[in-house]
Amino acid sequence: MPRRAARATDTTPPRASRDRHPATRSRGRQGRAIVPRDVRIPRDRNDAVLELGGREVRLTNLRKVFWPELGLTKGDLLQYYADVAGALIPHVRDRAMVMKRYPNGAAGDFFFMKRAPKPRPEWIETCAIEHASGSVIDFPMVQGLASLLWVINLGCIDLNEWYARCDDVDRPDYLHFDLDPTEGASFEQIREAALVVRAALDALGMPSHAKTTGSRGIHVYVPIVRGPTQKEVWTFAKRLSSDIARRHPKLLTAVYAKTQRPARRVLVDYNQNAWGRTLASVYSVRPRPRASVSTPVTWDEVARGIEIEDFRIDNVPARLSKVGDLWKPLLPTSRPRVDLAAALTRD
């Protein structure tokens, strides 16, 4: 009798808690799509239907101006994403996507949307994540060019994907540090801060990679072996960020409360490692005046002196063709990866 009861308990579907969040992936009927090359977004009409790998994608308001000062339209935004899709999609594939929608362009109001809207194409895949409250949210996933353009057509200027993949939304593929300026801080300080964080990670034997945020700062990422929970990754990031800030008090701060942060410092924002948080994806266009892009950079470029607006919607595709995907070491299949679990054990 006790044995049968144990078996019955084992088959009970797991419920969500603060540290465990069951997720279910719904697959599109046509399976995973390839990424077609040389897709051209029509410029001679406002609406269009594209056929992409057997998927029909309806695009609307292509002539709507999204950056008035630059004369860039929603169609231009869609064309950019079509041009970089081959490099971008592997980084967001199989991850829940939080939609930040700008229906009236970069300078207009925006709103966040988590649930995949209905009606939607039958080939849009979702990641249904159960939260501790009991609520289950169906997030869309970008699995190919068709779903990428579908999301951008909703008015999403940038992409904000989860750090963990849908098969285990509690265990991320990377550790990261979001470097943001406090009031009065310069981008020169941001670059210096990124090099300081890199040096601290090097001392721990953790290779790191940098990208501009496309907004005001720099993201520093470390590819990790999937295993530690998001909470464990957050705890490690908090401890290391606080330690680095303590050793560089005139440059850095790890104080999260905005009212208590010292001015003219760079915030090492460890809190973005918390469960359910997102950062702008690599190759995301940002709703900034120059249509800047979150772009991978080499550490030599950081040391020489880059600026946020060096990387924009009009030049990143050419840069990508020239230097390749500098963010490739962050792909889940890429090696080497840092065994953060071992570092947590040592601590």
Side-chain angles (χ1 to χ4, degrees):
M1 193 70 172
R3 198 173 294 173
R4 278 195 291 271
R7 282 200 298 269
T9 301
D10 291 343
T11 59
T12 302
R15 297 302 301 272
S17 66
R18 288 185 62 184
D19 300 317
R20 179 179 174 81
H21 304 85
T24 304
R25 173 176 173 170
S26 70
R27 294 185 177 273
R29 292 185 183 180
Q30 299 178 30
R32 178 170 290 177
I34 60 172
V35 179
R37 295 183 179 180
D38 300 323
V39 171
R40 308 315 299 172
I41 305 299
R43 293 179 174 272
D44 58 350
R45 51 190 182 276
N46 205 39
D47 301 329
V49 177
L50 298 185
E51 192 76 24
L52 301 172
R55 291 163 161 83
E56 192 177 82
V57 187
R58 297 182 179 275
L59 304 178
T60 58
N61 298 316
L62 296 176
R63 292 181 173 178
K64 190 170 188 175
V65 177
F66 265 36
W67 281 270
E69 298 82 0
L70 304 176
L72 292 175
T73 65
K74 184 181 178 184
D76 294 321
L77 178 66
L78 286 158
Q79 185 63 65
Y80 164 82
Y81 277 109
D83 291 342
V84 302
L88 185 155
I89 290 172
H91 292 288
V92 298
R93 183 177 282 151
D94 298 331
R95 301 177 192 274
M97 186 70 63
V98 175
M99 295 164 287
K100 188 176 182 182
R101 299 178 62 175
Y102 287 80
N104 295 308
D109 293 335
F110 65 86
F111 62 95
F112 286 98
M113 185 176 186
K114 295 182 178 181
R115 298 183 188 276
K118 293 181 179 179
R120 59 177 180 262
E122 62 183 10
W123 39 262
I124 291 295
E125 298 184 37
T126 62
C127 181
I129 302 175
E130 184 177 348
H131 291 56
S133 64
S135 176
V136 177
I137 298 177
D138 292 314
F139 294 84
M141 294 192 294
V142 170
Q143 303 294 79
L145 180 58
S147 51
L148 172 62
L149 296 185
W150 177 80
V151 166
I152 301 304
N153 188 64
L154 293 174
C156 297
I157 291 177
D158 48 20
L159 297 171
N160 298 272
E161 86 280 8
W162 279 47
Y163 311 132
R165 286 167 282 156
C166 189
D167 59 343
D168 192 338
V169 297
D170 294 310
R171 300 180 189 276
D173 292 296
Y174 28 74
L175 158 75
H176 58 78
F177 302 87
D178 181 14
L179 305 178
D180 269 337
T182 65
E183 184 178 354
S186 66
F187 194 69
E188 181 180 359
Q189 288 174 278
I190 293 285
R191 294 193 300 265
E192 183 182 355
L195 295 171
V196 166
V197 171
R198 183 205 184 190
L201 292 168
D202 282 350
L204 296 173
M206 296 183 176
S208 57
H209 305 270
K211 69 181 179 76
T212 64
T213 66
S215 180
R216 301 191 305 157
I218 288 177
H219 293 153
V220 179
Y221 275 57
V222 178
I224 63 173
V225 177
R226 187 163 67 161
T229 64
Q230 191 77 61
K231 184 176 181 180
E232 289 171 325
V233 173
W234 173 88
T235 301
F236 181 90
K238 179 181 180 180
R239 186 167 60 245
L240 183 57
S241 298
S242 299
D243 181 61
I244 298 172
R246 188 165 50 249
R247 288 187 277 120
H248 300 271
K250 294 183 179 181
L251 174 66
L252 304 174
T253 179
V255 176
Y256 191 68
K258 192 171 183 179
T259 56
Q260 298 176 23
R261 292 177 201 161
R264 295 181 293 280
R265 304 291 193 279
V266 175
L267 172 66
V268 187
D269 190 353
Y270 59 84
N271 233 18
Q272 291 296 349
N273 287 276
W275 188 87
R277 298 288 182 89
T278 63
L279 289 175
S281 166
V282 66
Y283 303 118
S284 277
V285 183
R286 305 306 304 277
R288 305 291 293 179
R290 293 291 304 278
S292 47
V293 173
S294 181
T295 306
V297 291
T298 67
W299 285 114
D300 284 345
E301 287 177 313
V302 174
R304 288 200 303 266
I306 55 167
E307 297 291 342
I308 287 289
E309 293 181 347
D310 289 344
F311 311 100
R312 307 175 306 277
I313 193 173
D314 63 336
N315 64 10
V316 166
R319 172 182 168 85
L320 185 57
S321 296
K322 180 180 179 180
V323 304
D325 179 19
L326 297 179
W327 215 237
K328 200 169 184 179
L330 275 298
L331 290 172
T333 55
S334 295
R335 299 294 182 271
R337 308 188 78 80
V338 171
D339 185 359
L340 192 62
L344 291 167
T345 301
R346 287 196 299 271
D347 291 344

